[in-house]
Amino acid sequence: MPAGGIDLFKLRGIRIGVDLSWFLVLFLIIFSLSGYYRDVLGADQDAIEPYGLALASALLFFGSILLHELGHAFVAIRRGIGIDGITLWMFGGVARLQRDSDSAGTEFKIAVAGPLVTAAIVVVCVLAGIALSGAEEFRDSAVYDEATGASGLEAMIAWLASINFLVLVFNLVPAFPLDGGRIARAIAWWRTGNRSKATRFAATLGRGFAYILIAGGIYLFLIGDVVGGLWLALIGFILNAAAKGAVAQLAVTDRIEGVSVSDVMDRQPVAIPDRFGVEQALDEFFLRYGYPWFPVIDPEARFIGLLDRATAEQVPAVERATTTVGELLARDEGSLTISDDAPLETVLGNEALRRLGALMAIDREGRLSGVITANAVGRALRTPPRTAGGI
């Protein structure tokens, strides 16, 4: 499942982005729905309204997927689990949690939050549709009956209700990593008290469901539904890979269970005070140590950002003595930092760690207490849990 994509905006500190595959699905939805709305409205081929309704439907659908993922994200944040971001892609959306749940109860609450949001969207759409067109006409519109005489707005609401209902039903299938599989994992975790066994159980369900989808796709392909068969089989392959990946990830997290950032970080980081001049920083830090960047701290030792050599050298020579390091920095919004008491699991897959090769560990007051590097994380993953501390 995608982890990157194109950034769109941030919502309460959560990065929202789209994968390139999202644009393909957006086009396919608009293409298919424009014909449907043209038939509902009895419009000509050149009419603009069907395309407008199709575009609005596609955007509202992806908006509902985003709300679904935000449901997961907000509950996770309330339970103390950070969110790296949400990415919309060809099969819906992914909210990337920084670490796994710490209890069966937390896992259940996070897993069920998304379906509850989708269920609420379905209810709102149904009530709005019935209020506009009546129960019988709305029911006919929801099953794509083009002869109902419904308006464009009524047909769009009916489509949104039906597609979100399908999303809800599909997500509640007890197959990991779908929400239903995560709910099954939470229940198994609660019953057995063992996260590893519960994850393997849920992943087995997920792979079984994936094989059913693949078999169904092959069947559709053989009877002539080429597009439907390939699509269904592709979903099956992706779910199977995700379930296998969850088991592999479990082996990693089990290995570093109980290890925190403070156990593996460098506790004596070299940092530049923000009041230093650029010339002094170049002489005493970049030339002396040869590092490409250094953390910068304020007088209270709070981390405020990174200074790289290229930025420092861009300052004209005649201005380096009077320009302070602090003047060159854009204040860090937290993307480069991690709490020093956070579980080491939190840094796995961190985009800033991959890009920079390190993260700044800070204490509860925001003071720089260490630097954790990708190499240190790698050593921790290769070290048995009982001796991982103190690297």
Coordinates of all heavy atoms in Angstrom, one line a residue, residues 30-107:
I30 N -15.4 9.1 -13.1 CA -16.1 10.2 -13.8 C -16.6 9.7 -15.2 O -17.7 10.0 -15.6 CB -15.1 11.4 -14.0 CG1 -14.8 12.0 -12.7 CG2 -15.7 12.4 -15.0 CD1 -13.7 13.1 -12.8
F31 N -15.8 8.8 -15.8 CA -16.1 8.3 -17.1 C -17.4 7.4 -17.0 O -18.3 7.6 -17.8 CB -15.0 7.5 -17.7 CG -15.3 6.8 -19.0 CD1 -15.2 7.6 -20.2 CD2 -15.6 5.5 -19.1 CE1 -15.5 7.0 -21.4 CE2 -15.9 4.9 -20.3 CZ -15.9 5.7 -21.5
S32 N -17.5 6.6 -16.0 CA -18.6 5.7 -15.9 C -19.9 6.4 -15.4 O -21.0 6.1 -15.9 CB -18.3 4.5 -15.0 OG -18.0 5.0 -13.7
L33 N -19.7 7.3 -14.5 CA -20.9 8.0 -13.9 C -21.5 9.0 -14.9 O -22.7 9.3 -14.8 CB -20.5 8.7 -12.6 CG -20.4 7.8 -11.4 CD1 -20.1 8.6 -10.1 CD2 -21.7 7.0 -11.2
S34 N -20.6 9.6 -15.8 CA -21.2 10.6 -16.7 C -22.2 10.0 -17.6 O -23.3 10.6 -17.9 CB -20.1 11.2 -17.5 OG -19.4 10.2 -18.2
G35 N -22.0 8.7 -18.0 CA -23.0 8.0 -18.8 C -24.3 7.7 -18.0 O -25.4 7.9 -18.6
Y36 N -24.1 7.3 -16.8 CA -25.3 7.1 -15.9 C -26.1 8.3 -15.7 O -27.3 8.3 -15.9 CB -24.8 6.5 -14.6 CG -25.8 6.5 -13.5 CD1 -26.9 5.7 -13.6 CD2 -25.7 7.3 -12.4 CE1 -27.9 5.6 -12.6 CE2 -26.7 7.3 -11.4 CZ -27.8 6.5 -11.5 OH -28.7 6.5 -10.5
Y37 N -25.4 9.4 -15.4 CA -26.2 10.7 -15.1 C -26.8 11.2 -16.4 O -27.9 11.8 -16.4 CB -25.3 11.7 -14.5 CG -24.9 11.5 -13.1 CD1 -23.6 11.5 -12.7 CD2 -25.9 11.2 -12.2 CE1 -23.3 11.3 -11.3 CE2 -25.6 11.0 -10.8 CZ -24.3 11.0 -10.4 OH -24.0 10.7 -9.1
R38 N -26.2 10.9 -17.6 CA -26.8 11.4 -18.8 C -28.1 10.6 -19.1 O -29.1 11.2 -19.5 CB -25.8 11.1 -20.0 CG -26.2 11.7 -21.3 CD -25.2 11.3 -22.4 NE -23.9 11.9 -22.1 CZ -22.8 11.2 -21.8 NH1 -22.9 9.8 -21.8 NH2 -21.7 11.7 -21.5
D39 N -28.1 9.3 -18.8 CA -29.3 8.6 -18.9 C -30.4 9.0 -17.9 O -31.6 9.1 -18.3 CB -29.1 7.1 -18.8 CG -28.2 6.5 -19.9 OD1 -28.2 7.1 -21.0 OD2 -27.5 5.5 -19.7
V40 N -30.0 9.3 -16.7 CA -31.0 9.7 -15.7 C -31.6 11.0 -16.1 O -32.8 11.2 -16.0 CB -30.3 9.8 -14.3 CG1 -31.2 10.6 -13.3 CG2 -29.9 8.5 -13.8
L41 N -30.8 11.9 -16.6 CA -31.3 13.3 -16.9 C -31.9 13.3 -18.3 O -32.5 14.3 -18.7 CB -30.2 14.3 -16.8 CG -29.5 14.5 -15.4 CD1 -28.4 15.4 -15.5 CD2 -30.6 15.0 -14.4
G42 N -31.7 12.3 -19.1 CA -32.1 12.3 -20.5 C -31.4 13.4 -21.3 O -32.0 14.0 -22.2
A43 N -30.1 13.6 -21.0 CA -29.3 14.7 -21.6 C -28.7 14.2 -22.9 O -28.5 13.1 -23.1 CB -28.3 15.2 -20.6
D44 N -28.3 15.2 -23.7 CA -27.6 15.0 -24.9 C -26.1 14.6 -24.6 O -25.6 14.9 -23.5 CB -27.6 16.2 -25.8 CG -29.0 16.5 -26.3 OD1 -29.8 15.5 -26.4 OD2 -29.3 17.7 -26.5
Q45 N -25.4 14.1 -25.6 CA -24.0 13.8 -25.5 C -23.1 15.0 -25.1 O -22.1 14.8 -24.4 CB -23.5 13.1 -26.8 CG -24.0 11.7 -27.0 CD -23.4 10.7 -26.1 OE1 -22.3 10.9 -25.5 NE2 -24.1 9.6 -25.8
D46 N -23.5 16.1 -25.6 CA -22.7 17.3 -25.4 C -23.1 18.1 -24.1 O -22.5 19.1 -23.8 CB -22.9 18.3 -26.6 CG -22.4 17.7 -27.9 OD1 -21.5 16.8 -27.8 OD2 -23.0 18.1 -28.9
A47 N -24.0 17.6 -23.3 CA -24.5 18.3 -22.1 C -23.3 18.3 -21.1 O -22.6 17.3 -20.9 CB -25.7 17.6 -21.6
I48 N -23.2 19.4 -20.4 CA -22.2 19.5 -19.4 C -22.6 19.0 -18.0 O -21.8 18.5 -17.2 CB -21.8 21.0 -19.2 CG1 -21.2 21.5 -20.6 CG2 -20.7 21.2 -18.1 CD1 -20.0 20.9 -21.0
E49 N -23.9 19.0 -17.7 CA -24.3 18.7 -16.3 C -24.0 17.3 -15.9 O -23.5 17.1 -14.8 CB -25.8 18.9 -16.2 CG -26.4 18.7 -14.8 CD -27.8 18.9 -14.7 OE1 -28.5 19.3 -15.7 OE2 -28.4 18.8 -13.6
P50 N -24.1 16.2 -16.8 CA -23.7 14.9 -16.4 C -22.2 14.8 -15.9 O -21.9 14.1 -15.0 CB -24.0 14.0 -17.6 CG -25.0 14.8 -18.4 CD -24.7 16.2 -18.1
Y51 N -21.3 15.5 -16.6 CA -19.9 15.5 -16.3 C -19.7 16.2 -15.0 O -18.9 15.8 -14.1 CB -19.1 16.1 -17.4 CG -19.1 15.3 -18.7 CD1 -19.9 15.7 -19.7 CD2 -18.2 14.2 -18.8 CE1 -19.9 14.9 -20.9 CE2 -18.2 13.4 -19.9 CZ -19.0 13.8 -21.0 OH -19.0 13.0 -22.1
G52 N -20.4 17.3 -14.8 CA -20.3 18.0 -13.5 C -20.8 17.2 -12.3 O -20.1 17.1 -11.3
L53 N -21.9 16.5 -12.5 CA -22.4 15.6 -11.4 C -21.4 14.4 -11.2 O -21.2 14.0 -10.1 CB -23.8 15.0 -11.8 CG -24.9 16.0 -11.7 CD1 -26.2 15.4 -12.4 CD2 -25.2 16.3 -10.3
A54 N -20.8 13.9 -12.3 CA -19.9 12.8 -12.1 C -18.6 13.2 -11.4 O -18.1 12.5 -10.5 CB -19.5 12.3 -13.5
L55 N -18.1 14.4 -11.7 CA -17.0 15.0 -11.0 C -17.3 15.2 -9.5 O -16.5 14.8 -8.6 CB -16.5 16.3 -11.7 CG -15.3 17.0 -11.0 CD1 -14.1 16.1 -10.9 CD2 -15.1 18.3 -11.7
A56 N -18.4 15.8 -9.3 CA -18.8 16.1 -7.9 C -19.0 14.7 -7.1 O -18.6 14.6 -6.0 CB -20.1 16.8 -7.8
S57 N -19.5 13.7 -7.8 CA -19.7 12.4 -7.1 C -18.4 11.8 -6.8 O -18.2 11.3 -5.7 CB -20.5 11.5 -8.0 OG -21.8 12.0 -8.3
A58 N -17.4 11.9 -7.7 CA -16.1 11.3 -7.5 C -15.4 12.0 -6.3 O -14.8 11.3 -5.4 CB -15.3 11.3 -8.8
L59 N -15.5 13.3 -6.3 CA -14.8 14.0 -5.3 C -15.4 13.8 -3.9 O -14.8 13.7 -2.9 CB -14.8 15.5 -5.6 CG -13.9 15.9 -6.8 CD1 -14.0 17.4 -7.1 CD2 -12.5 15.5 -6.6
L60 N -16.8 13.7 -3.9 CA -17.5 13.5 -2.6 C -17.2 12.0 -2.1 O -17.1 11.8 -0.9 CB -19.0 13.7 -2.8 CG -19.4 15.1 -2.9 CD1 -20.9 15.2 -3.3 CD2 -19.2 15.9 -1.6
F61 N -17.1 11.1 -3.1 CA -16.8 9.7 -2.7 C -15.4 9.7 -2.0 O -15.2 9.1 -1.0 CB -16.8 8.8 -3.9 CG -16.3 7.4 -3.6 CD1 -16.8 6.6 -2.7 CD2 -15.1 7.0 -4.3 CE1 -16.3 5.3 -2.4 CE2 -14.6 5.7 -4.1 CZ -15.2 4.9 -3.1
F62 N -14.4 10.3 -2.7 CA -13.1 10.3 -2.1 C -13.0 11.1 -0.8 O -12.3 10.8 0.1 CB -12.0 10.8 -3.0 CG -11.6 9.8 -4.0 CD1 -12.0 9.8 -5.4 CD2 -10.8 8.7 -3.6 CE1 -11.6 8.8 -6.3 CE2 -10.4 7.7 -4.5 CZ -10.8 7.8 -5.8
G63 N -13.9 12.1 -0.7 CA -14.1 12.9 0.6 C -14.6 12.0 1.7 O -14.1 12.0 2.8
S64 N -15.5 11.1 1.3 CA -16.0 10.1 2.3 C -15.0 9.1 2.7 O -14.9 8.7 3.9 CB -17.3 9.4 1.8 OG -16.9 8.6 0.7
I65 N -14.1 8.7 1.8 CA -13.0 7.8 2.1 C -12.0 8.5 3.1 O -11.5 7.9 4.0 CB -12.2 7.4 0.9 CG1 -13.2 6.5 0.0 CG2 -11.0 6.6 1.2 CD1 -13.7 5.2 0.6
L66 N -11.8 9.8 2.8 CA -10.9 10.6 3.7 C -11.5 10.7 5.1 O -10.7 10.5 6.1 CB -10.7 12.0 3.1 CG -9.8 12.9 3.9 CD1 -8.4 12.4 4.2 CD2 -9.7 14.3 3.2
L67 N -12.8 10.9 5.2 CA -13.4 11.0 6.5 C -13.3 9.6 7.2 O -13.1 9.6 8.4 CB -14.9 11.4 6.4 CG -15.2 12.8 6.0 CD1 -16.7 13.0 5.7 CD2 -14.7 13.8 7.0
H68 N -13.4 8.5 6.5 CA -13.2 7.2 7.0 C -11.8 7.1 7.7 O -11.7 6.6 8.8 CB -13.4 6.2 5.9 CG -13.2 4.7 6.3 ND1 -14.2 3.8 6.5 CD2 -12.1 4.1 6.6 CE1 -13.7 2.7 6.8 NE2 -12.4 2.8 6.9
E69 N -10.8 7.5 6.9 CA -9.5 7.3 7.4 C -9.2 8.3 8.6 O -8.4 8.0 9.5 CB -8.5 7.6 6.3 CG -8.5 6.6 5.1 CD -8.4 5.1 5.6 OE1 -7.6 4.9 6.6 OE2 -9.0 4.2 5.0
L70 N -9.8 9.5 8.5 CA -9.6 10.4 9.6 C -10.3 9.9 10.9 O -9.8 10.2 12.0 CB -10.3 11.8 9.2 CG -9.5 12.6 8.3 CD1 -10.3 13.8 7.8 CD2 -8.1 13.1 8.9
G71 N -11.3 9.1 10.7 CA -11.9 8.4 11.9 C -10.9 7.5 12.6 O -10.7 7.6 13.8
H72 N -10.2 6.7 11.8 CA -9.1 5.9 12.4 C -8.0 6.8 13.0 O -7.5 6.6 14.1 CB -8.4 5.1 11.3 CG -9.3 4.0 10.7 ND1 -9.9 3.1 11.4 CD2 -9.6 3.7 9.4 CE1 -10.6 2.2 10.7 NE2 -10.4 2.6 9.4
A73 N -7.6 7.9 12.3 CA -6.5 8.7 12.7 C -6.8 9.4 14.0 O -5.9 9.5 14.9 CB -6.2 9.7 11.6
F74 N -8.0 10.0 14.1 CA -8.3 10.8 15.3 C -8.3 9.9 16.6 O -7.9 10.3 17.6 CB -9.6 11.6 15.1 CG -9.4 12.7 14.2 CD1 -10.5 13.2 13.5 CD2 -8.2 13.4 14.0 CE1 -10.4 14.3 12.6 CE2 -8.1 14.4 13.1 CZ -9.2 14.9 12.4
V75 N -8.9 8.7 16.4 CA -8.9 7.8 17.5 C -7.5 7.4 17.9 O -7.2 7.3 19.1 CB -9.8 6.6 17.2 CG1 -9.7 5.6 18.3 CG2 -11.3 7.0 17.0
A76 N -6.7 7.1 16.9 CA -5.3 6.7 17.2 C -4.6 7.8 17.9 O -3.9 7.5 18.9 CB -4.6 6.4 15.9
I77 N -4.8 9.0 17.5 CA -4.1 10.2 18.2 C -4.6 10.3 19.6 O -3.8 10.5 20.5 CB -4.3 11.5 17.4 CG1 -3.6 11.4 16.0 CG2 -3.9 12.7 18.2 CD1 -3.9 12.6 15.1
R78 N -5.9 10.1 19.8 CA -6.4 10.2 21.2 C -5.8 9.1 22.1 O -5.7 9.2 23.3 CB -7.9 10.1 21.2 CG -8.6 11.3 20.6 CD -10.1 11.3 20.8 NE -10.5 11.2 22.2 CZ -11.7 11.1 22.6 NH1 -12.7 11.0 21.7 NH2 -12.0 11.1 23.9
R79 N -5.4 8.0 21.4 CA -4.8 6.9 22.2 C -3.3 6.9 22.2 O -2.6 6.0 22.6 CB -5.2 5.5 21.6 CG -6.7 5.3 21.5 CD -7.4 5.2 22.8 NE -7.0 4.0 23.5 CZ -7.6 3.7 24.7 NH1 -8.5 4.4 25.3 NH2 -7.1 2.6 25.3
G80 N -2.7 8.1 21.8 CA -1.3 8.3 21.9 C -0.5 7.8 20.8 O 0.7 7.6 20.9
I81 N -1.1 7.4 19.7 CA -0.4 6.9 18.5 C -0.3 8.0 17.4 O -1.4 8.5 17.0 CB -1.1 5.6 18.0 CG1 -1.1 4.6 19.1 CG2 -0.4 5.1 16.8 CD1 -1.9 3.3 18.7
G82 N 0.9 8.3 17.0 CA 1.0 9.4 16.0 C 0.6 8.8 14.6 O 0.6 7.6 14.4
I83 N 0.4 9.8 13.7 CA 0.0 9.5 12.4 C 1.0 10.1 11.4 O 1.2 11.3 11.4 CB -1.4 10.0 12.0 CG1 -2.5 9.5 13.0 CG2 -1.8 9.7 10.6 CD1 -2.7 8.0 12.9
D84 N 1.6 9.3 10.6 CA 2.5 9.8 9.6 C 1.8 10.5 8.4 O 2.4 11.4 7.8 CB 3.4 8.7 9.0 CG 4.5 8.3 9.9 OD1 5.0 9.2 10.7 OD2 5.0 7.1 9.9
G85 N 0.6 10.1 8.2 CA -0.2 10.8 7.1 C -1.3 9.9 6.6 O -1.4 8.7 7.0
I86 N -2.1 10.4 5.7 CA -3.2 9.7 5.1 C -3.0 9.8 3.6 O -2.8 10.9 3.1 CB -4.6 10.2 5.5 CG1 -4.8 9.9 7.0 CG2 -5.6 9.6 4.6 CD1 -6.1 10.5 7.5
T87 N -3.0 8.7 2.8 CA -2.9 8.7 1.4 C -4.1 8.1 0.8 O -4.4 7.0 1.1 CB -1.6 8.0 1.0 OG1 -0.4 8.6 1.6 CG2 -1.4 8.1 -0.5
L88 N -4.7 8.8 -0.2 CA -5.8 8.2 -1.0 C -5.2 7.6 -2.2 O -4.3 8.1 -2.8 CB -6.8 9.3 -1.4 CG -7.4 10.1 -0.3 CD1 -8.3 11.2 -0.8 CD2 -8.2 9.2 0.6
W89 N -5.7 6.4 -2.5 CA -5.1 5.7 -3.7 C -6.2 4.9 -4.4 O -7.4 5.1 -4.1 CB -3.9 4.8 -3.3 CG -4.3 3.6 -2.4 CD1 -5.1 3.6 -1.3 CD2 -3.9 2.2 -2.6 NE1 -5.2 2.3 -0.8 CE2 -4.5 1.5 -1.6 CE3 -3.1 1.6 -3.6 CZ2 -4.3 0.1 -1.5 CZ3 -2.9 0.2 -3.5 CH2 -3.5 -0.5 -2.4
M90 N -5.8 4.0 -5.3 CA -6.8 3.4 -6.2 C -7.8 2.5 -5.5 O -8.9 2.3 -6.0 CB -6.1 2.6 -7.3 CG -5.3 1.4 -6.8 SD -4.4 0.6 -8.1 CE -5.6 0.2 -9.3
F91 N -7.5 2.0 -4.3 CA -8.4 1.1 -3.6 C -8.9 1.8 -2.3 O -9.3 1.1 -1.4 CB -7.7 -0.2 -3.2 CG -7.5 -1.0 -4.5 CD1 -6.2 -1.3 -4.8 CD2 -8.5 -1.5 -5.3 CE1 -5.9 -2.1 -6.0 CE2 -8.3 -2.2 -6.4 CZ -7.0 -2.6 -6.7
G92 N -8.9 3.1 -2.2 CA -9.5 3.8 -1.1 C -8.5 4.7 -0.4 O -8.0 5.7 -1.0
G93 N -8.2 4.4 0.9 CA -7.2 5.3 1.6 C -6.5 4.5 2.6 O -6.9 3.4 3.0
V94 N -5.4 5.0 3.1 CA -4.5 4.4 4.1 C -4.1 5.5 5.1 O -3.5 6.5 4.7 CB -3.2 3.8 3.5 CG1 -2.4 3.2 4.5 CG2 -3.6 2.7 2.4
A95 N -4.4 5.2 6.4 CA -3.9 6.0 7.5 C -2.7 5.3 8.1 O -2.8 4.2 8.6 CB -5.0 6.3 8.5
R96 N -1.5 5.9 8.0 CA -0.3 5.2 8.4 C 0.0 5.6 9.9 O 0.4 6.7 10.2 CB 0.9 5.6 7.5 CG 0.7 5.2 6.1 CD 1.9 5.4 5.2 NE 2.4 6.8 5.3 CZ 1.8 7.8 4.7 NH1 0.7 7.6 3.9 NH2 2.3 9.0 4.8
L97 N -0.2 4.6 10.7 CA 0.1 4.8 12.2 C 1.6 4.6 12.4 O 2.2 3.8 11.8 CB -0.7 3.8 13.0 CG -2.2 4.1 13.3 CD1 -3.0 4.2 12.0 CD2 -2.7 3.0 14.2
Q98 N 2.1 5.4 13.3 CA 3.5 5.4 13.6 C 3.9 4.1 14.4 O 5.1 3.7 14.4 CB 4.0 6.6 14.4 CG 3.9 7.9 13.6 CD 4.4 9.1 14.4 OE1 4.5 9.1 15.6 NE2 4.6 10.2 13.7
R99 N 3.0 3.5 15.1 CA 3.3 2.3 15.8 C 2.0 1.5 15.9 O 0.9 2.0 15.7 CB 3.9 2.6 17.2 CG 3.0 3.3 18.1 CD 3.6 3.5 19.5 NE 2.8 4.3 20.4 CZ 1.9 3.8 21.1 NH1 1.5 2.5 21.1 NH2 1.2 4.6 22.0
D100 N 2.2 0.2 16.4 CA 1.1 -0.6 16.5 C 0.3 -0.3 17.8 O 0.9 0.4 18.7 CB 1.5 -2.1 16.6 CG 0.5 -3.1 16.2 OD1 -0.7 -2.6 16.0 OD2 0.7 -4.3 16.2
S101 N -0.9 -0.8 17.9 CA -1.7 -0.6 19.2 C -1.0 -1.3 20.3 O -0.3 -2.3 20.2 CB -3.1 -1.2 19.0 OG -3.7 -0.5 17.9
D102 N -1.2 -0.7 21.5 CA -0.6 -1.3 22.7 C -1.5 -2.2 23.5 O -1.1 -2.8 24.5 CB 0.0 -0.2 23.6 CG -1.1 0.8 24.0 OD1 -2.3 0.6 23.6 OD2 -0.8 1.8 24.6
S103 N -2.7 -2.3 23.0 CA -3.7 -3.2 23.7 C -4.8 -3.6 22.7 O -5.0 -3.0 21.7 CB -4.3 -2.5 24.9 OG -5.1 -1.5 24.5
A104 N -5.5 -4.7 23.1 CA -6.6 -5.1 22.3 C -7.7 -4.1 22.2 O -8.4 -3.8 21.2 CB -7.2 -6.4 22.8
G105 N -8.0 -3.4 23.3 CA -9.0 -2.3 23.4 C -8.7 -1.2 22.4 O -9.5 -0.7 21.7
T106 N -7.4 -0.8 22.4 CA -7.0 0.3 21.5 C -7.1 -0.1 20.1 O -7.6 0.6 19.2 CB -5.5 0.7 21.8 OG1 -5.4 1.2 23.1 CG2 -5.0 1.7 20.8
E107 N -6.7 -1.3 19.8 CA -6.8 -1.9 18.4 C -8.3 -1.9 18.0 O -8.6 -1.5 16.8 CB -6.2 -3.3 18.3 CG -6.4 -4.0 17.0 CD -5.5 -3.4 15.9 OE1 -4.7 -2.5 16.2 OE2 -5.6 -4.0 14.8

